[in-house]
Amino acid sequence: MDARGAQGGHGERIRRDAAAAAAAAAGTRLDPWFSSYAERAHGMRASEVRSLFAVANRPEVVSLAGGMPNIEGLPLDFLADMTSRLLRERGPKLLQYGGGQGEEELREQIVEVMRHDSVHAHPDDVVVTTGSQQALDLVTEVFIDPGDVIVAEAPSYVGALGVFRAYQADVVHTPMDDHGLIPEALDRTLGELAAAGRRVKFLYTVPNFHNPAGVTLSAERRPQVVEICRRHGVLILEDNPYGLLGFDSEPLPALASFDSQSVVYLGSFSKTFAPGYRVGWAAAPHAVREKLVLASEAAILSPTMMGQLSIATYLQTYDWFQQVKEYRQMYQERRDAMLGALSEHLPQAQWTVPDGGFYTWLTLPEGLNAQSMLPRAVTNLVAYVSGTAFYADGSGHRHIRLSYCYPPPERIREGVRRLADVVRAEQELVEMFGSGTAPASGHTVEAPSADQV
Amino acid sequence: MDARGAQGGHGERIRRDAAAAAAAAAGTRLDPWFSSYAERAHGMRASEVRSLFAVANRPEVVSLAGGMPNIEGLPLDFLADMTSRLLRERGPKLLQYGGGQGEEELREQIVEVMRHDSVHAHPDDVVVTTGSQQALDLVTEVFIDPGDVIVAEAPSYVGALGVFRAYQADVVHTPMDDHGLIPEALDRTLGELAAAGRRVKFLYTVPNFHNPAGVTLSAERRPQVVEICRRHGVLILEDNPYGLLGFDSEPLPALASFDSQSVVYLGSFSKTFAPGYRVGWAAAPHAVREKLVLASEAAILSPTMMGQLSIATYLQTYDWFQQVKEYRQMYQERRDAMLGALSEHLPQAQWTVPDGGFYTWLTLPEGLNAQSMLPRAVTNLVAYVSGTAFYADGSGHRHIRLSYCYPPPERIREGVRRLADVVRAEQELVEMFGSGTAPASGHTVEAPSADQV
């Protein structure tokens, strides 16, 4: 059987399974508790796209959808010995509850990590969380009443939009260009919202190697963004999971470095070390940090001691920054593979050129719809996330987020080739029958799954 | 220096530090974001009692306040070898993101654990959470709109009341006796609430070795409680962290064993194994389980793989039930030490006789106030949790929760002796000056800290 035949066979099976999965998701089940749910829960539902992703996770599909880091380079023998020693020597501490704010030993290390972003914090400013996702959840819980406005980049991280939606926030997008958030547009957005009497609680922003847009807020704009928010009395929620993963240069100063009292800074070990421990953090102004600790204690009592002390010890005893440098090089090679393949196979599209992180943001030729094209892409054994996932307002149909973090370079090139085939077929259809862009109605932001982060 | 002198010296220092801590907690800080908080966040604040507990955690104080398990008996060498092997052999899986519902490998083990409670679930019914505390949070998030009613035992677990409060639920207590929830009273409570047009979303109950009351719902009452709730169309949230820690007999059938479609069952490894991994679970009717997974993905993306696979492997390869039996014996000895000391030193009080778990519930002689007595107890180097922490309505002043889980028997006896001294001194004051019971106004439920679980 030749490769094409095998692919066709896979495609057929996948087509059938995808159809069955979509039918199951759409089918109604009898739910005796349906009328008991909170208002916020009625929007929580598994979508067709989600079912499709279950299919897309098969090994024969090249997934350019996932946000999972490639952790193959981690020093497993070192970690095995380190953890074994920790359990033998400090077992009763590792296996016990800890304090709600997180271990001081880890918070001291976190303060050192944040120095790379020019943030000078005190361990007392830090609260350790179950990944920075929980920090997102806690900040939203502490600040958002239903109907409050959060201003966020267009597009924004799907997992943040999911949290904002769970707290019934109203997300207003503000545009970016290749240098990140546009200060003049942000100022105008905040001014218009104030004039309309809307309550803006915070600006949510990913300044470095943006997820999904792949762009970085320029050095010049950083103090401007801080000044604009301060002038409008709006807190900044700075989400920085990828900051240390820049390819060509040292990190730019974080927004928090300009005014620590106006910024809640979120960090994570999921991309610079490993997500399996579920450890992230928030650094916040003192009174906000106190609220975050109380909210976290209500939600989980305390973060994992096993995870916290493992990470603290790794940071103390391993050359972790060398590991980060290896990650940088590995991801840079993958970015180069992706951009090279895009130039070769998809010259009719446009894309951003990321200087770090995991993602590039593709703009399809006019008339194409990334959302309706996705099932055909999966049938052709390549997966991506439709741009619509990254907008709260139903736009984004012409966009695609492509991840280069997980598959090796050769698979990335193969994935882009397959995607290009789908795009070409789609363009032919559009030329014959007109635009396939669906109207923006009925769009819902979904809860993220780990393969979309 | 004699023992009394040493104690007096400690007492003096502790008195000063407690006063300073209370002043710091009461002092107002300038908080520029005060007006930005969500309504739910305004009740989140560190209280004087909390500051007092920081002092009470000193080694010279006998804490009968904590809910921390005694994990000294855990097989650290086994765990060290097991974890080291896991990291070497399955490191890339342990250190990666997982699915939002939790690993099937662990969910299969959880199903086996629940068989001890006569619950026959399928791994697909289970969602793994960051301790069962997160499961409490998720269920409340999915069901509670502000102002909805949750019916809960009087008294109830302080950590549950904290979550319910964060979601602005209205908690209505229903009474217990030595055999747990009183079915007739529950029926009446639900009937009255329905007649008043109130929306009751669920009954929250801890049927086994109740925290804080120390009582167990009798076998006869279990199907009655399920029937009453079903008749009123009210879901049951069954919280069962201590179920396997019975001293004299095998576990009674869980409420979920009578009607799995009307019960969300919460379980935890924190008391039967170790809390440091932060792994618990919910088993729920299918549609509810789907909502819980979506809510959990929004909150934390996925539970810790490190923790999940460690626990799954421990359950698969170690005689974990023998470990539970050793826990039972150890806790039974501590209960016996506590009840013996109470009989000897505090005959003027009443207390429940727990058949398992961590707690006994003390009723003070009339006229005494557990809340206002606490600073004097801490000064006398013994700590407890005032009964007021376990009521949403400000009652409970005559009650005390005493934990026998953490200190060894000799310390428990010493702690009860110190408590008896405080109670006697308090009784003398009451005889001279009248009742010290404060009115119930101004009471707020606090967020729990790990030493109060």
Side-chain angles (χ1 to χ4, degrees):
Chain A
M1 191 188 280
D2 66 13
R4 179 165 294 269
Q7 188 171 314
H10 280 314
E12 187 48 47
R13 242 197 353 267
I14 293 230
R15 194 176 297 123
R16 275 202 313 274
D17 293 356
T28 52
R29 278 172 198 276
L30 194 62
D31 177 4
W33 301 106
F34 186 80
S35 66
S36 290
Y37 294 129
E39 198 182 314
R40 70 175 75 82
H42 283 287
M44 296 177 185
R45 58 174 174 272
S47 71
E48 285 186 44
V49 177
R50 201 183 185 84
S51 316
L52 209 58
F53 272 108
V55 177
N57 278 336
R58 298 193 181 175
E60 61 267 32
V61 176
V62 175
S63 179
L64 306 174
M68 292 200 301
N70 169 28
I71 55 170
E72 271 173 27
L74 283 178
L76 295 183
D77 285 336
F78 175 88
L79 291 173
D81 292 340
M82 177 197 88
T83 312
S84 166
R85 205 161 42 238
L86 270 176
L87 276 163
R88 267 180 246 273
E89 293 171 7
R90 302 175 69 191
K93 192 169 167 74
L94 245 73
L95 299 168
Q96 191 52 275
Y97 288 109
Q101 188 177 354
E103 283 299 287
E104 185 156 8
E105 185 177 339
L106 177 60
R107 288 185 279 115
E108 283 168 0
Q109 294 291 318
I110 286 171
V111 164
E112 294 303 315
V113 171
M114 287 192 291
R115 284 183 192 275
H116 290 275
D117 296 312
S118 310
V119 175
H120 297 279
H122 186 275
D124 197 44
D125 302 331
V126 174
V127 51
V128 179
T129 54
T130 305
S132 62
Q133 188 73 22
Q134 195 210 352
L136 259 176
D137 187 74
L138 295 175
V139 172
T140 312
E141 177 184 354
V142 163
F143 282 98
I144 298 298
D145 286 314
D148 282 346
V149 174
I150 297 169
V151 171
E153 287 137 346
S156 274
Y157 166 49
V158 59
L161 296 180
V163 171
F164 300 160
R165 184 154 176 262
Y167 288 93
Q168 298 162 278
D170 198 356
V171 173
V172 173
H173 288 291
T174 188
M176 290 191 288
D177 60 19
D178 285 347
H179 308 287
L181 269 178
I182 303 168
E184 299 71 26
L186 173 64
D187 198 9
R188 200 164 47 241
T189 301
L190 292 176
E192 285 167 3
L193 286 163
R198 301 300 306 276
R199 193 80 205 276
V200 180
K201 287 296 182 71
F202 56 79
L203 166 71
Y204 173 72
T205 176
V206 179
N208 298 318
F209 321 125
H210 190 272
N211 176 2
V215 301
T216 292
L217 185 63
S218 69
E220 304 73 51
R221 289 183 179 180
R222 293 181 179 231
Q224 297 169 16
V225 166
V226 172
E227 185 277 324
I228 289 165
C229 287
R230 191 162 39 197
R231 182 154 39 79
H232 288 275
V234 168
L235 184 76
I236 296 173
L237 179 53
E238 176 175 31
D239 192 1
N240 191 25
Y242 310 100
L244 294 185
L245 296 176
F247 301 146
D248 304 308
S249 55
E250 287 311 298
L252 294 175
L255 298 177
S257 74
F258 295 98
D259 180 0
S260 63
Q261 294 310 299
S262 300
V263 179
V264 176
Y265 173 105
L266 308 187
S268 171
F269 293 108
S270 294
K271 275 75 181 186
T272 51
F273 177 31
Y277 297 103
R278 308 306 299 120
V279 175
W281 73 89
H286 185 86
V288 175
R289 196 275 293 150
E290 281 187 342
K291 298 275 187 206
L292 295 177
V293 171
L294 292 167
S296 185
E297 286 176 336
I300 62 158
L301 294 179
S302 65
T304 163
M305 287 294 275
M306 181 78 192
Q308 289 184 84
L309 294 180
S310 294
I311 292 177
T313 308
Y314 171 77
L315 295 174
Q316 283 157 2
T317 61
Y318 192 77
D319 187 354
W320 68 272
F321 203 74
Q322 180 56 36
Q323 177 66 49
V324 167
K325 286 180 183 166
E326 286 168 24
Y327 277 148
R328 286 178 181 173
Q329 196 180 340
M330 180 261 301
Y331 289 127
Q332 182 166 16
E333 283 164 18
R334 291 171 182 213
R335 177 205 61 176
D336 292 346
M338 176 163 280
L339 298 191
L342 286 171
S343 295
E344 187 176 347
H345 303 292
L346 262 174
Q348 69 274 45
Q350 296 171 291
W351 53 87
T352 56
V353 178
D355 295 324
F358 287 7
Y359 310 106
T360 181
W361 183 244
L362 201 75
T363 306
L364 293 171
E366 198 151 354
L368 264 58
N369 181 324
Q371 196 173 29
S372 59
M373 191 175 79
L374 183 56
R376 289 185 280 279
V378 172
T379 305
N380 204 40
L381 304 182
V382 60
Y384 58 79
V385 182
S386 162
T388 48
F390 305 98
Y391 289 85
D393 59 7
S395 55
H397 287 84
R398 259 187 77 191
H399 298 283
I400 279 178
R401 187 190 74 177
L402 293 178
S403 318
Y404 48 81
C405 45
Y406 199 70
E410 190 38 60
R411 293 282 284 171
I412 290 174
R413 282 187 281 266
E414 174 60 24
V416 172
R417 271 193 292 272
R418 292 177 188 174
L419 179 63
D421 288 342
V422 175
V423 169
R424 264 194 307 278
E426 203 77 359
Q427 284 186 286
E428 285 168 17
L429 275 178
V430 169
E431 276 162 28
M432 275 193 285
F433 302 109
S435 169
T437 305
S441 66
H443 173 72
T444 49
V445 177
E446 299 144 46
S449 66
D451 44 28
Q452 295 178 325
V453 297
Chain B
M1 189 189 281
D2 66 12
R4 181 167 292 272
Q7 190 171 312
H10 280 314
E12 187 48 47
R13 239 195 357 266
I14 292 233
R15 195 176 296 123
R16 274 203 313 273
D17 292 357
T28 50
R29 279 172 199 277
L30 193 64
D31 178 3
W33 301 106
F34 186 79
S35 66
S36 290
Y37 294 129
E39 199 182 312
R40 70 174 76 82
H42 283 287
M44 297 177 185
R45 57 174 173 273
S47 71
E48 285 187 43
V49 178
R50 201 183 186 84
S51 316
L52 211 59
F53 272 108
V55 177
N57 278 335
R58 298 194 181 173
E60 60 268 31
V61 176
V62 176
S63 179
L64 306 175
M68 291 199 303
N70 169 27
I71 55 170
E72 273 174 25
L74 283 177
L76 295 183
D77 284 338
F78 174 88
L79 291 173
D81 292 341
M82 177 195 90
T83 311
S84 165
R85 205 161 42 239
L86 270 175
L87 276 163
R88 266 180 247 273
E89 292 171 8
R90 303 175 68 193
K93 193 169 166 71
L94 245 72
L95 298 170
Q96 190 51 276
Y97 288 110
Q101 188 177 354
E103 281 301 287
E104 184 155 10
E105 186 177 337
L106 177 61
R107 288 187 279 115
E108 283 168 359
Q109 294 291 320
I110 286 171
V111 163
E112 294 302 314
V113 171
M114 287 193 292
R115 284 184 192 275
H116 290 276
D117 296 313
S118 310
V119 175
H120 298 278
H122 186 276
D124 197 44
D125 302 330
V126 175
V127 51
V128 180
T129 53
T130 305
S132 62
Q133 187 73 23
Q134 195 210 352
L136 259 177
D137 187 74
L138 295 175
V139 172
T140 312
E141 177 183 354
V142 162
F143 282 98
I144 298 299
D145 286 315
D148 283 345
V149 174
I150 297 169
V151 171
E153 289 138 344
S156 274
Y157 165 49
V158 59
L161 296 180
V163 171
F164 300 160
R165 184 154 177 263
Y167 288 94
Q168 298 162 278
D170 198 356
V171 173
V172 174
H173 287 291
T174 188
M176 291 191 287
D177 60 20
D178 285 348
H179 308 286
L181 267 179
I182 303 169
E184 299 73 25
L186 173 64
D187 198 7
R188 200 163 48 242
T189 301
L190 292 177
E192 285 168 2
L193 286 163
R198 300 300 306 275
R199 192 80 205 277
V200 180
K201 288 295 181 71
F202 56 79
L203 166 70
Y204 172 71
T205 175
V206 179
N208 297 318
F209 321 125
H210 190 272
N211 176 4
V215 301
T216 292
L217 185 63
S218 70
E220 303 74 51
R221 289 184 179 179
R222 291 180 181 232
Q224 297 168 16
V225 166
V226 172
E227 185 277 325
I228 290 165
C229 286
R230 192 162 38 197
R231 182 153 39 79
H232 288 276
V234 167
L235 183 77
I236 295 174
L237 180 53
E238 176 176 30
D239 192 2
N240 192 25
Y242 310 101
L244 294 185
L245 296 176
F247 301 146
D248 303 309
S249 56
E250 288 310 299
L252 294 175
L255 298 177
S257 74
F258 297 98
D259 180 0
S260 65
Q261 294 310 299
S262 300
V263 179
V264 176
Y265 173 106
L266 308 188
S268 172
F269 293 108
S270 294
K271 274 75 180 185
T272 52
F273 178 31
Y277 297 104
R278 308 306 299 119
V279 174
W281 72 90
H286 185 86
V288 175
R289 196 275 293 150
E290 280 187 341
K291 297 275 187 205
L292 294 177
V293 171
L294 292 167
S296 184
E297 286 176 337
I300 62 159
L301 293 178
S302 64
T304 162
M305 289 294 275
M306 182 78 193
Q308 290 185 84
L309 294 180
S310 295
I311 291 177
T313 307
Y314 171 76
L315 295 173
Q316 284 158 2
T317 60
Y318 192 76
D319 188 355
W320 68 273
F321 203 73
Q322 179 56 36
Q323 177 66 49
V324 167
K325 286 179 182 164
E326 285 168 26
Y327 277 148
R328 286 178 181 173
Q329 195 180 339
M330 180 261 301
Y331 289 128
Q332 183 167 15
E333 284 165 17
R334 290 171 183 214
R335 176 205 61 176
D336 292 345
M338 176 164 279
L339 298 191
L342 287 171
S343 296
E344 187 177 346
H345 303 293
L346 263 173
Q348 69 274 46
Q350 294 172 293
W351 53 88
T352 56
V353 177
D355 296 324
F358 287 7
Y359 310 106
T360 183
W361 183 243
L362 200 77
T363 306
L364 293 171
E366 199 152 353
L368 264 58
N369 182 322
Q371 196 173 28
S372 60
M373 191 174 78
L374 182 57
R376 288 185 282 279
V378 172
T379 304
N380 203 40
L381 304 182
V382 59
Y384 58 80
V385 182
S386 163
T388 46
F390 305 99
Y391 289 85
D393 59 7
S395 54
H397 287 83
R398 257 186 77 191
H399 298 283
I400 278 177
R401 187 189 76 176
L402 293 179
S403 318
Y404 48 80
C405 46
Y406 199 70
E410 190 37 59
R411 293 282 285 170
I412 290 174
R413 282 187 281 266
E414 173 61 23
V416 172
R417 271 193 293 272
R418 293 177 188 174
L419 178 62
D421 289 343
V422 176
V423 169
R424 263 194 307 277
E426 204 78 356
Q427 283 185 284
E428 285 166 20
L429 275 180
V430 168
E431 277 160 28
M432 276 194 282
F433 302 110
S435 168
T437 305
S441 66
H443 174 75
T444 49
V445 178
E446 297 144 48
S449 66
D451 44 28
Q452 295 178 325
V453 297

